[in-house]
Every structure is written in C-alpha cells, then in structure tokens.
Amino acid sequence: MSKKILTALCLTGLLLHAEETRPKNIILFIGDGMGIAQVTAGKIAKGTLEMERCPVAGLASTWSADHLTTDSAAAATALATGTKTDNGMLSLNPEGQRLKTVLEIAEDQKKSTGLVCNCAVTHATPAGFATHVPSRQQYVEIARQLADSDVDVLFGGGLAYFSPSNAPSCLPQLQNKMPLATTAEEFYALGTPEKAAALLYPEHPPHVAERTVSLKELTQKAIEILVQDEDGFFLMVEGSQIDWAGHKNDAANIISEVIDFDDAVGVGLDFAEKNGRTLVIITADHETGGFAVIDGTLAEKTVSQTGFIHKKHTASMVPVFAEGPASSRFSGIMDNTDIGKTMIELIQTSE
Ligand SMILES: [Zn+2]
C-alpha cells in the first residue's frame, strides 16, 4: 500500500473518529428520584429494562451548593448548566446571576429543542432547562418565561399556569409560535409541525394508569418533530412521578413509573440506534425515599418486600447510562455538574 493511500486512510479514520465523538443530537432522560434501587425494582418487575441496552454506565453525585441532599431545582440546574446552585433556585447561581442552559446553547447552535415530562411543564426539572427564577414555586413566572423561550417542543401538564386568574395569560404568545394541544385528541391530531406544545392537564398529569397520553408517545412525537431540523436537536424527557411515589413510600407506583419511564427510554434508544449521531443519556436528579428492595421473585417478576429510610430525598449517588457518540464520557464516577458541562461542550462543538 502506498504511503499516500495509507495517509488518506488514516485521515479518513481520524475524521470518522471525530464525527463519532461528536453527537448531532442529545436526548437526556431524567428519572426524577430514580436511584439504583428504583431501577432494580423496575428491572425485577419488567424482566429486562430498555436502559440495559446502554453500553456505558456510571454514577453521579447530586449535592447542591447549599445542601448535601439536593432538591429537583438545584439538580436540574446542575444538569442543565454544569453549575451548582442552592436548593429551590432554577438556572441562577447562588448569587442570582443567570446561568446559560444546555438547551439555550443548543438554540444558539440553531438546533431545535424540546422539553417533555409527565408533570406540569412549570415544575422544577423541565423549568430548569429553559427558565431562570430564584424560586421554583414561581409557576406563573416560569410559564411566562417558557412561553417567551425558543423551546420548540413543550409537552406535559400545567396549562393553568399559562392563563392564571391573577395575571395576564401568556397562552396567546405561545400559540403565536406553535400549535397547542390541550386534549389527547388534539395531541394525536398534531401531525408533525416544526414546533408544538401539548399542555394536557391544568396542573400535573395523574399517575401512570390514568394518563391519557403516555410518556413514550410524547417522546416519540417530540423526536418526530425535532428530527426535521437538519441542524440537530436537544431533548430532555423527564419521568417526573417516580419521585412522587418515593415521597409517598409507594413501592408499587415507583415500579409502574420506572417502567413507564423506561418505555420512553426505549423510544429514544430505538431512534439513536437508527440515527447513529444521537447521544442518549439516562440519569436521575436525586434518589427519593432511601428505597431498598428486600425480597421478591424473579420468576414471577414480583417485588414483595421493600423498605424506605424516610419520605424525603437522599444524598445517594444516582445511576448514569449512556449510548451513542461520546457516550464513554459518561462512565465511572462523576458529579451531576460534569453531566451538564460535558453536554454543553458536546453541543458547542457539534456540527
Ligand atoms: Zn422530590
């Protein structure tokens, strides 16, 4: 083989390698309150989890700037911006200065962006990616900032916060930019516009058995819309209610919410495997309940005995799974801010 051909081959290899390590799209799945025991319980009940398709696994510490045990607002800020803040704050640093989020940086790169959750879209985790407020309780202000943002896909609940009784409605502003579905029928009739919002409940959606549109269906539709952008996309999908079941020390609901979340993860991984240029990251914002699995049967897929430490969050590390270009960056032990920093670096260098 001539030296020239060898050099050409090496260069092609380098180029291929460079491309492989730079995702065009990122899908971040956050299981709120999903610690290792929650994943374990889901696996026992489901048999095999979609998450297990990820070749890369790691652990992330979740402490916030002012507490060893984080809340969802500080954790969302860490994941979205790569910077720690105080509990309760959304994408502002502890001094109140605005922090740019991975979603906003993706928009700067002309990528499309989406937020999908099974809580009100004004709740801490989705809000942390596109709004900046000192208190996560400022739902009406969060709705106003979301309506004002460049988010292209906004799926969840929380319609009431967009047209509150005590403040001007920001729904017209949202609807000027994109079609809005407020019922399951309207959601299924959305088609694939360039942007879309679905605020399917006045506040939070009910628990899994009563939800009219599944997280899996929301995720599928979000990907169908976002993939139309040839510049790529960033999508955050939250399984919001694993945490709420943890707060109630309700093992059965933890399991059904983890399985529901995992079904949505499967849609993301199916897309990533076909697409080849999509990084999928699955993690949690914190663990809830100090949950443990004590007994059950693999053959019958049952979890018969569980335990909880208390009804709040814990400081335990959370699992991280990844698949796709640059997924190896998410192996080993990291901090939640490392996940944010790495996503931002990858989005900034993405073509
Ligand atoms: Zn919680």
Side-chain angles (χ1 to χ4, degrees), residues 32-33 71-72 123 136 243-244 247 285-286 288 312-313:
D32 199 311
D71 81 322
S72 291
H123 212 234
R136 58 180 287 177
D243 174 61
W244 305 352
H247 283 293
D285 51 355
H286 52 74
T288 305
K312 298 176 186 170
H313 301 172

